[in-house]
Amino acid sequence: MTTERISRLGHLFRQERLSTEVTDLFREIINDHYRENARILPWRSTFDPYAIYVSEVMLQQTQVERVRVKYEEFLARFPDITTLAGAPLHEVLAVWQGLGYNRRAVLLKKCAETLMERFNGTLPSAAEALETLPGIGHYTARAIAAFAFGAAAPFIETNIRTVFIHLFLPDRDRVHDREILPLVEGTIDHTDPRRWYYALMDYGAHLKRTHVNPSRRSAHHTRQAPFKGSNRELRSRILRAVMAQPGISGAGLADQLDTAITAVIDNLQQMESEGLITLQQGLCRIP
DNA sequence: AAGCCGGGGCG
DNA sequence: CGCCCAGGCTT
């Protein structure tokens, strides 16, 4: 029974830390769950580093179910690095609309350009090299290395964090990632790192559905300010308005979109402080 | 370490 | 309405 194995794992870990027995039992629990509940996802059935890279960027702070559709649409329009690097930014942003965190789209294209200029139009396989690229941080670099190139370097994201906090640190609060990372590293199933990380993440996603989100007990857990009335809502609307303009394809404005939007917001708020307009619920209304 | 970078779906 | 999401970047 799984619940019995889980309580035994917690008990053993308190006594022996990552003993061979603990590690084996842990892998058994994760792999057994995956055997029955593996999620079938489009980016899991390819080894194309570019496609996997695109999926990883889309999945940053964005739920799997919302990425499914965009992933297909994006790859159909920008099937490879060369196409993406050569595409106008406004077209990339147009396809991105609805995913959020639009900066990801800007960095995605910038990264493609960098790959053309400095990496012969291909993604490097080493995490250390991937991490130097725009929009690719510690997690994404190692995820790409694992999923596209079979590397086993340890990494943490919200699902993995959830698994280790729930199974190994059930009665702890404010758990720091530096405490989790050695546990990730010490329990990696080296027979197939790609499959192992899929299994780990699927188990974490499962825990989030069946328990009060265990990652709330992470030291890094923060809740986001409300979207309504925020600068993010303003930015979103301004971007959509700018995108709707016929002449927006000009490279000059497109490349400085973020700067332009920030300047607009700053001006709006300045105007509000001068009493020229009122900003209400994130909307600009002329009195 | 803390804040900011969207948007949608779900309880 | 509050919550969260395969994080990254800046300060």
Side-chain angles (χ1 to χ4, degrees), chain A residues 65-100:
Chain A
E65 290 312 316
R66 299 209 302 119
V67 170
R68 279 182 186 272
V69 179
K70 280 292 178 187
Y71 172 80
E72 305 288 3
E73 185 186 349
F74 191 95
L75 284 184
R77 172 61 186 85
F78 312 106
D80 49 46
I81 295 171
T82 306
T83 306
L84 180 59
L89 179 59
H90 74 275
E91 282 188 26
V92 181
L93 285 168
V95 175
W96 198 267
Q97 271 296 334
L99 261 189

Side-chain angles (χ1 to χ4, degrees), chain A residues 241-254:
Chain A
V242 172
M243 296 287 295
Q245 301 306 309
I248 187 56
S249 56
L253 179 56

Side-chain angles (χ1 to χ4, degrees), chain A residues 52-248:
Chain A
I52 291 169
Y53 158 57
V54 169
S55 79
E56 284 306 328
V57 173
M58 286 188 170
L59 286 161
Q60 288 169 3
Q61 292 293 288
T62 307
Q63 260 126 355
V64 164
E65 290 312 316
R66 299 209 302 119
V67 170
R68 279 182 186 272
V69 179
K70 280 292 178 187
Y71 172 80
E72 305 288 3
E73 185 186 349
F74 191 95
L75 284 184
R77 172 61 186 85
F78 312 106
D80 49 46
I81 295 171
T82 306
T83 306
L84 180 59
L89 179 59
H90 74 275
E91 282 188 26
V92 181
L93 285 168
V95 175
W96 198 267
Q97 271 296 334
L99 261 189
Y101 286 164
N102 301 293
R103 185 171 50 186
R104 290 183 295 174
V106 178
L107 295 181
L108 201 58
K109 180 176 158 46
K110 183 179 290 184
C111 179
E113 293 170 356
T114 305
L115 292 172
M116 295 303 292
E117 293 165 9
R118 306 205 339 245
F119 290 88
N120 200 23
T122 63
L123 278 158
S125 58
E128 293 75 15
L130 289 164
E131 207 173 349
T132 68
L133 293 162
I136 299 182
H138 183 275
Y139 161 73
T140 302
R142 279 149 194 82
I144 295 172
F147 299 144
F149 303 107
F155 56 81
I156 295 176
E157 48 72 69
T158 183
N159 293 311
I160 294 176
R161 195 176 282 131
T162 294
V163 171
F164 284 89
I165 290 178
H166 180 76
L167 289 185
F168 289 120
L169 310 163
D171 48 9
R172 289 275 308 284
D173 202 9
R174 297 195 61 76
V175 181
H176 201 284
D177 280 352
R178 63 172 165 262
E179 187 173 357
I180 297 177
L181 197 59
L183 303 180
V184 176
E185 184 170 21
T187 52
I188 291 171
D189 186 342
H190 290 269
T191 55
D192 188 348
R194 166 165 153 142
R195 179 193 158 90
W196 170 248
Y197 282 118
Y198 287 161
L200 215 44
M201 293 161 94
D202 282 9
Y203 193 74
H206 164 71
L207 287 175
K208 284 170 181 294
R209 286 192 302 272
T210 55
H211 296 72
V212 177
N213 191 357
S215 75
R216 282 190 192 179
R217 294 190 282 114
S218 163
H220 311 284
H221 179 77
T222 55
R223 29 186 77 143
Q224 199 174 46
F227 178 64
K228 272 258 174 270
S230 68
N231 269 7
R232 302 198 333 272
E233 183 179 20
L234 261 183
R235 295 179 62 90
S236 158
R237 285 177 165 251
I238 292 169
L239 176 61
R240 252 177 287 179
V242 172
M243 296 287 295
Q245 301 306 309
I248 187 56

